Amino acid sequence: MANFDNETVQFDGKGNSNLRGCIGNLSPIGLHDGVKKYAAVSAFEDRRFSPISADEVPMLECSVTFLSNFEEAANYVDWEIGKHGMIINFSDDRGSPLSATYLPYVCSEQGWGKEECIDSLIRKAGYRGSISQRLRNSIKLTRYQGCKATVDFAAYRGQRVADRLWLEAWG
């Protein structure tokens, strides 16, 4: 059983990349079936993006981050940038529960410090009010670690051809 996140990134050939899907599962599920399911969900069902088209496939890179070592943090800053992902849970001003997560590499890729990262995560959870120190201190944070594996389409195709699992009709 594994916990993981799956993301799809499109490259434009000029060194620029765009996230095209990112969906995962924080509950343990079977690795083979889970990766297969969430790769498809990330590519075709992430509501933030239009579904991946056949024309985009040669420009894609797919990553899977395996998540482990989940542990409750002492407070909202009890984690290390670039090492830990985090899940935050808190309540809004009306007492409604909110939560969100960032993978271990998100804050470092964005160049954020801890407080900026936490504030972004609070917004990701859907909170629209003023972010105060009191709100930050109310957060229950679970930190975790991840191991990311990435393959681009050319490498994937090359391996499938080498394994004689690629049909010429596929291009």
Side-chain angles (χ1 to χ4, degrees):
M1 302 303 262
N3 308 55
F4 63 90
D5 177 80
N6 187 30
E7 71 180 38
T8 306
V9 176
Q10 177 188 22
F11 291 90
D12 66 4
K14 299 174 188 165
N16 300 314
S17 63
N18 297 304
L19 184 65
R20 292 289 286 117
C22 183
I23 294 182
N25 191 323
L26 294 172
S27 301
I29 63 173
L31 185 60
H32 183 277
D33 291 340
V35 170
K36 183 178 175 180
K37 173 184 177 180
Y38 283 98
V41 170
S42 177
F44 303 116
E45 298 178 29
D46 188 332
R47 295 181 307 247
R48 298 169 296 173
F49 307 96
S50 59
I52 299 292
S53 69
D55 293 340
E56 292 177 278
V57 171
M59 298 176 285
L60 294 181
E61 178 180 87
C62 186
S63 298
V64 176
T65 304
F66 298 96
L67 312 177
S68 63
N69 301 329
F70 288 79
E71 54 191 3
E72 189 171 329
N75 55 56
Y76 80 95
V77 292
D78 184 22
W79 54 278
E80 294 179 43
I81 294 174
K83 178 179 180 181
H84 293 112
M86 75 274 325
I87 303 165
I88 62 167
N89 291 283
F90 64 100
S91 295
D92 67 12
D93 301 331
R94 293 174 298 218
S96 299
L98 297 172
S99 67
T101 189
Y102 275 149
L103 295 171
Y105 49 84
V106 170
C107 298
S108 59
E109 284 181 356
Q110 297 299 317
W112 293 336
K114 287 185 178 184
E115 194 161 290
E116 189 176 12
C117 187
I118 290 296
D119 288 356
S120 173
L121 201 48
I122 289 169
R123 294 290 183 219
K124 182 181 179 187
Y127 186 76
R128 300 293 173 242
S130 177
I131 299 174
S132 65
Q133 192 59 45
R134 182 176 180 201
L135 177 67
R136 290 184 196 102
N137 289 336
S138 76
I139 290 171
K140 178 185 171 202
L141 188 140
T142 301
R143 64 186 183 197
Y144 57 87
Q145 296 178 38
C147 179
K148 184 176 179 179
T150 302
V151 64
D152 65 22
F153 178 74
Y156 172 77
R157 183 185 184 282
Q159 185 61 54
R160 300 293 285 186
V161 167
D163 293 343
R164 299 177 190 254
L165 297 172
W166 190 262
L167 297 177
E168 287 306 315
W170 293 342

